[in-house]
């Protein structure tokens, strides 16, 4: 099984790495399919000082394949992938080693755990039309960060750093919270749109697999270990036990009739776009992203147990969010009520988006692309950086 058969020439010209090039650091995570470490290169590299290394078992091959594909097709959606290779040792047997750039310390799960959320990311993502008081003067800044904008040179960054301290003091409130959550959702949907238009369904979208990239100051997706590429037929894990039940859509697994039961090379019988259209497998991720939206809006639903209870309640309501709202709202805690208030801002446009993501039937769920065009995101300026004083 050689997954490199299809690798493009591009890969040949990239730096390659082997075991001895890599120095292991602290363990970042351990799942049933591999261990993840912080790492660095034995030889100093200016670009990649901090790395992440995953030693993966049998699913590593496809995770390398997925990362290679993302690298070429939608690089900004996911963590920056460097290289992957097969490492065999007499003691541990065959392991796949995967290397990424270390994107940052915090996943969205870490950030959500804090009582400060969303203000703990607000200072990094929210810069729109703020009145800032400095030295007794009132100055008006309009700064919108474009993650892909290379105009962000050192000078501008330092100006930005200067005003950050002030921005942090901007009045807190539902509006501001909503704006931060909006920014995060837009970035998450943007990343998903990239994957989906490439033909990849992630299948394990959850806050733990969304990382805040400190360099680009955007959220990116990680962990393609359960991903499937339906257009070339790599879709080898029909095992629904891989899916996280807390975030999985009710259909549980995707296109099971088409899935081979063992890892295999991409088969020539690529699924046609027509089939993709019929089955809308991408909407599985949309459901999970909807639950992330829900948890961001409702502090009361952020804990594991609360999410599990929510899932149970929603199931009892036959996955009808409106029905769920009717049952819980009358006796809602102030905490829960705050979530409804946030989603009800601007004529309930946030609630409307949430409802179009969290639906029982995949085909009724909005696509990532359509979600990005949803009026919920209208209010914010986009993709331009301006600095007005
Ligand atoms: P697992 O299969 O164990 O879930 P992940 O790929 O999700 O593996 O990685 C586990 C953890 O390691 C993540 O939750 C995150 O905290 C950290 N991590 C993974 N990739 C990166 C990265 N590129 N940059 C920073 N941290 C990362
Ligand atoms: Mg993970």
């Amino acid at each position: 099984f050689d997954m490199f058969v299809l690798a493009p020439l591009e890969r040949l010209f990239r730096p390659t790495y082997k075991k001895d090039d890599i120095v292991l650091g602290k363990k970042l995570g351990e799942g049933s399919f591999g261990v993840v470490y912080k790492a660095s290169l034995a030889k100093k590299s200016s670009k990649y000082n901090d790395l992440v290394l995953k030693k993966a078992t049998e699913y590593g091959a496809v995770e390398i394949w997925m990362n290679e594909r993302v690298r070429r097709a939608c690089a900004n959606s996911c963590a920056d992938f460097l290289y992957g290779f097969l490492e065999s040792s007499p003691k541990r047997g065959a392991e796949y080693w995967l290397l990424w750039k270390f994107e940052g310390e915090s996943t969205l799960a870490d950030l959500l755990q804090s009582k400060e959320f969303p203000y703990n990311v607000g200072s990094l993502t929210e810069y729109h039309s703020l009145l800032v008081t400095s030295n007794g003067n009132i100055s008006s800044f309009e700064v919108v960060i474009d993650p892909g904008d290379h105009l962000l040179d050192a000078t501008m960054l330092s100006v930005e750093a200067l005003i950050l301290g002030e921005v942090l003091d901007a009045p807190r409130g539902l509006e501001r919270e909503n704006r931060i959550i909006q920014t995060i959702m837009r970035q998450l949907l943007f990343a998903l749109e990239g994957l989906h238009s490439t033909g990849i369904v992630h299948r394990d979208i959850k806050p733990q697999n969304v990382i805040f990239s400190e360099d680009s100051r955007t959220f990116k997706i990680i962990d393609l270990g359960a991903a499937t590429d339906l257009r070339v037929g790599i879709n080898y894990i029909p095992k629904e036990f891989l899916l996280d039940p807390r975030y999985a859509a009710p259909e549980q697994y995707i296109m099971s009739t088409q899935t081979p039961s063992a890892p295999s090379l991409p088969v020539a019988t690529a699924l046609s776009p027509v089939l993709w259209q019929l089955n809308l497998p991408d909407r599985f991720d949309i459901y999970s992203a909807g639950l992330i939206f829900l948890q961001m809006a409702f502090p009361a639903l952020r804990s594991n147990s609360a999410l599990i209870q929510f899932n149970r309640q929603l199931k009892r309501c036959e996955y009808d969010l409106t029905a769920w709202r009717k049952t819980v709202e009358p006796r809602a805690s102030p905490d829960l009520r705050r979530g409804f208030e946030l989603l009800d801002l601007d004529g309930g446009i946030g609630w409307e988006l949430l409802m179009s993501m969290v639906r029982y039937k995949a085909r009724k769920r909005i696509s990532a692309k359509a979600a990005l065009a949803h009026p919920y995101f209208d209010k914010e300026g986009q993709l331009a950086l301006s600095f007005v004083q």
Side-chain angles (χ1 to χ4, degrees), residues 37-300:
Y37 302 89
K38 202 165 172 184
S40 57
L41 293 174
K43 264 203 226 112
K44 280 269 166 289
S45 143
S46 51
K47 192 164 174 215
Y48 296 114
N49 279 325
D50 294 323
L51 302 179
V52 169
L53 170 73
K54 185 185 268 192
K55 295 184 186 177
T57 52
E58 66 263 39
Y59 300 113
V62 170
E63 195 172 349
I64 292 174
W65 195 94
M66 290 293 165
N67 276 280
E68 286 289 340
R69 186 147 158 70
V70 163
R71 224 188 107 87
R72 279 172 276 132
C74 52
N76 294 328
S77 291
C78 297
D80 191 355
F81 183 65
L82 269 73
Y83 192 65
F85 56 95
L86 181 62
E87 175 64 38
S88 305
S89 79
K91 226 170 68 192
R92 310 167 60 105
E95 275 176 340
Y96 292 93
W97 287 34
L98 293 86
L99 276 175
W100 293 267
K101 174 180 159 182
F102 181 82
E103 296 280 0
E105 299 287 342
S106 317
T107 65
L108 184 53
D110 299 325
L111 295 163
L112 271 171
Q113 281 317 305
S114 160
K115 275 208 161 53
E116 282 293 293
F117 185 89
Y119 299 113
N120 54 352
V121 273
S123 62
L124 297 164
T125 52
E126 179 217 15
Y127 305 85
H128 192 234
S129 298
L130 287 163
L131 271 182
V132 179
T133 312
S134 58
N135 304 327
N137 301 323
I138 307 263
S139 330
S140 169
F141 292 98
E142 184 162 336
V143 184
V144 183
I145 300 299
D146 165 15
D149 193 340
H150 301 296
L151 288 173
L152 271 173
D153 63 18
T155 338
M156 288 180 114
L157 278 174
S158 60
V159 170
E160 183 199 323
L162 245 167
I163 64 165
L164 264 182
E166 314 274 357
V167 171
L168 282 170
D169 294 333
R172 297 190 170 196
L174 270 187
E175 291 270 357
R176 184 160 169 238
E177 238 169 274
N178 187 38
R179 208 154 59 201
I180 301 168
I181 291 172
Q182 223 174 58
T183 307
I184 300 172
M185 275 313 285
R186 176 151 43 70
Q187 293 179 356
L188 178 58
L189 286 163
F190 176 82
L192 276 179
E193 202 277 320
L195 286 181
H196 293 168
S197 60
T198 304
I200 296 174
V201 184
H202 186 281
R203 296 202 291 195
D204 199 14
I205 292 296
K206 55 183 175 183
Q208 292 77 2
N209 287 337
V210 178
I211 188 105
F212 188 74
S213 163
E214 281 164 17
D215 277 355
S216 69
R217 278 160 308 146
T218 56
F219 285 90
K220 293 181 174 182
I221 292 168
I222 56 172
D223 200 353
L224 295 164
T228 169
D229 188 331
L230 292 154
R231 290 195 184 161
V232 289
I234 287 210
N235 183 21
Y236 74 105
I237 319 175
K239 302 183 184 72
E240 51 286 18
F241 68 82
L242 266 180
L243 305 175
D244 191 318
R246 290 169 304 172
Y247 293 91
E251 66 265 27
Q252 296 293 315
Y253 55 100
I254 301 162
M255 302 180 78
S256 60
T257 49
Q258 272 89 22
T259 52
S261 57
S264 65
L265 267 179
V267 281
T269 57
L271 292 168
S272 71
V274 175
L275 253 179
W276 176 279
Q277 282 304 319
L278 279 176
N279 290 281
L280 301 171
D282 55 314
R283 305 300 202 275
F284 189 86
D285 291 342
I286 295 295
Y287 186 95
S288 310
L291 292 193
I292 294 180
F293 188 17
L294 182 94
Q295 285 192 298
M296 290 200 288
F298 293 93

Side-chain angles (χ1 to χ4, degrees), residues 292-312:
I292 294 180
F293 188 17
L294 182 94
Q295 285 192 298
M296 290 200 288
F298 293 93
L301 300 180
R302 285 182 199 157
S303 74
N304 232 331
S305 53
L307 180 60
I308 290 167
Q309 192 194 358
F310 165 81
N311 284 334
R312 230 181 279 130

Side-chain angles (χ1 to χ4, degrees), residues 314-356:
L314 189 63
K315 191 172 179 187
R316 227 178 288 131
C317 297
E318 294 175 338
Y319 297 91
D320 179 347
L321 264 183
T322 311
W324 172 78
R325 181 170 183 164
K326 279 198 187 117
T327 65
V328 298
E329 202 170 18
R331 49 188 175 81
S333 63
D335 211 25
L336 201 62
R337 211 167 304 130
R338 198 175 159 80
F340 288 122
E341 258 173 64
L342 186 145
L343 294 167
D344 283 345
L345 289 171
D346 303 315
I349 220 158
W351 176 253
E352 210 283 324
L353 175 63
L354 179 68
M355 286 208 305
S356 61

